[in-house]
């Protein structure tokens, strides 16, 4: 199916009286966004071709005049054929036309940054609440101290690369939509370093790196959640010479505390009152993250009742203050009664009137509120 060709000015998003500079700018912006090197969008390649074609027509006065007067048809009869072309890598393209170094030199070098490492550390809930420092060890590749990462035997040194004469780059001629142009490629022999290793370093076997154990005291911040990662920038594997090291990550596992349930920044726990304590009232010592808190329960306390200890929950990570501690009341009912106890309860039951057990119907709502 033949597609209707879009207007070239629309494709570049410029007005019809745009000057050459505006057209160039629009193309550069769109190329950076749509080039298949940088965009994962399946539509990007099609759109990039469209943009490249629009630029090709509009940046030259002859083809632009032809297009302005006769449209797409005018170009076709005028012999312009935007056919399949190899537009090269984006950095080649922009480098050749605009002198851009798109990736800030990264793409022009094959020096790789070091890999990342991960270690896991387990802490108690109370430690997560207060914050704690832990020594964590990582198995990392570090730069060889013998050869300082060059991989070359220090006594033999390095040689200038014969392929590129030490420049680290070789020239390549590429044919693209825009014609032929010369780009500089990273030298394949020396990987862009311009140097070759005549004799390998014995300490690292020429790798430039050796396996090592790195121990780091890691500050685990108060309020950390189970499964969160802490990044230690630059503490991972060493990279190639001149490249930056990888990062180390610490995955924090917060062990569950049998006394508490953590609900975000809040803590939930239960307190058990006997049937008579609930009926007559009681005082109870409640464990919290910061020690015991004394609570008074009024006569007639109901199962599922909730007491909120404001600010007694977990510290809020990277924030101010703390969550709350919610205490959920459970009421214990006797499982086993002696003859006498049974008689006492039966006597009690005989004295009950309509007001004694007056329900407020809120049990389910209260339990639900405990877990929000
Ligand atoms: Zn070495
Ligand atoms: Zn070379």
């Amino acid at each position: 199916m033949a597609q209707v060709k879009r207007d070239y000015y629309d494709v570049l998003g410029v007005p019809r009286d745009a000057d050459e500079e505006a057209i160039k700018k629009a193309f550069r912006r769109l190329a950076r966004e749509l080039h298949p090197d940088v965009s994962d969008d399946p539509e990007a390649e099609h759109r990039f071709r469209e943009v490249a074609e629009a630029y090709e027509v509009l940046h030259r006065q002859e083809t632009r005049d032809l297009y302005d007067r006769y449209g797409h048809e005018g170009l076709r009869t005028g012999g312009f054929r935007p056919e399949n072309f190899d537009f090269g890598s984006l950095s080649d393209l922009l480098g050749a036309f605009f002198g851009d170094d798109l990736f800030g030199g990264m793409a022009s070098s094959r020096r790789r940054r070091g890999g990342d490492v991960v270690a896991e550390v387990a802490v108690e809930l109370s430690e997560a609440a207060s914050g704690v420092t832990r020594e964590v060890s990582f198995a990392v590749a570090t730069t060889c101290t013998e050869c300082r990462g060059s991989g070359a035997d220090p006594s033999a040194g390095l040689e200038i690369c014969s392929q590129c004469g030490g420049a680290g780059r070789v020239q390549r001629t590429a044919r693209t939509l825009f014609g032929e142009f010369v780009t500089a490629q990273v030298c394949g022999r020396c990987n862009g370093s311009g140097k070759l290793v005549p004799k390998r370093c014995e300490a690292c076997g020429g790798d430039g790196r050796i396996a090592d154990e790195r121990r780091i005291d890691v500050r685990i911040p108060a309020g950390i959640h189970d499964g969160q990662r802490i990044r230690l920038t630059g503490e991972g594997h060493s990279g190639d010479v001149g490249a930056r090291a990888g990062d180390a990550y610490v995955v924090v596992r917060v062990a569950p505390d049998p006394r508490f349930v953590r609900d975000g920044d809040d803590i939930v726990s239960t307190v058990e009152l006997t049937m008579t304590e609930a009926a007559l009232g009681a005082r109870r010592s409640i464990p919290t993250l910061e020690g015991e808190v004394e609570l008074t329960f009024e006569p007639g306390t109901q199962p599922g009742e909730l007491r909120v200890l404001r600010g007694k929950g977990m510290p809020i990570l990277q924030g101010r203050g703390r969550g709350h501690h919610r205490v959920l009341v459970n009421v214990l009912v006797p499982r086993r009664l002696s003859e006498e106890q049974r008689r006492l309860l039966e006597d009690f039951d005989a004295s009950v009137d309509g007001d004694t057990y007056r329900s407020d119907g809120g049990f389910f709502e209260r339990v639900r509120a405990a877990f929000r």
Side-chain angles (χ1 to χ4, degrees), residues 106-118:
M106 292 281 286
S108 60
S109 162
R110 280 195 222 155
R111 284 190 304 239
R112 281 159 311 182
R113 75 180 275 267
D116 296 335
V117 290
V118 182

Side-chain angles (χ1 to χ4, degrees), residues 197-317:
V197 174
K199 181 165 181 261
R200 290 180 173 186
C201 167
E202 278 172 22
C204 62
D207 192 39
R209 305 190 300 171
I210 48 170
D212 199 5
E213 188 190 28
R214 180 172 292 157
R215 293 174 167 277
I216 302 170
D217 285 332
V218 179
R219 180 74 199 151
I220 296 163
I224 193 126
H225 292 261
D226 181 50
Q228 279 187 319
R229 302 195 309 173
I230 298 168
R231 184 167 81 174
L232 306 166
T233 306
E235 299 287 4
H237 297 301
S238 296
D240 290 349
V241 179
R244 74 176 203 87
D247 299 328
Y249 289 92
V250 180
V251 178
V252 180
R253 290 285 161 205
V254 181
D257 187 312
R259 299 171 299 166
F260 307 121
V261 171
R262 184 177 185 176
D263 179 21
D265 294 317
D266 287 353
I267 291 291
V268 182
S269 69
T270 60
V271 60
E272 292 184 330
L273 301 180
T274 66
M275 180 179 76
T276 45
E277 282 173 332
L280 303 174
R283 282 179 70 75
R284 267 286 195 289
S285 208
I286 306 293
T288 72
L289 289 169
E290 293 184 306
E292 308 269 307
V293 168
E294 195 82 2
L295 279 188
T296 301
F297 296 92
E298 297 300 320
T301 293
Q302 300 296 311
E305 219 172 88
L306 203 59
R307 300 290 285 272
V308 179
L309 307 173
R310 305 212 150 260
K312 295 281 187 207
M314 293 293 287
I316 294 161
L317 187 66

Side-chain angles (χ1 to χ4, degrees), residues 25-43:
K25 256 174 95 173
F27 171 65
R28 175 167 21 187
R29 184 179 56 76
L30 289 164
R32 281 167 177 273
E33 183 187 314
L34 297 170
H35 194 284
D37 279 5
V38 291
S39 177
D40 297 329
D41 186 344
E43 276 293 290

Side-chain angles (χ1 to χ4, degrees), residues 131-193:
V132 66
T133 298
R134 276 292 163 76
E135 189 185 70
V136 182
S137 75
F138 300 91
V140 290
T142 58
T143 305
C144 172
T145 48
E146 287 299 311
C147 62
R148 297 214 178 90
S150 71
D153 189 300
S155 62
L158 293 168
E159 275 174 8
I160 303 277
C161 174
S162 51
Q163 182 96 11
C164 61
R169 303 181 129 238
V170 287
Q171 305 229 302
R172 185 182 78 117
T173 305
R175 204 188 80 76
T176 77
L177 170 69
F178 307 100
E180 287 197 343
F181 59 88
V182 175
T183 55
Q185 295 281 302
V186 172
C187 171
R189 183 108 190 264
C190 61
N191 279 345
S193 69

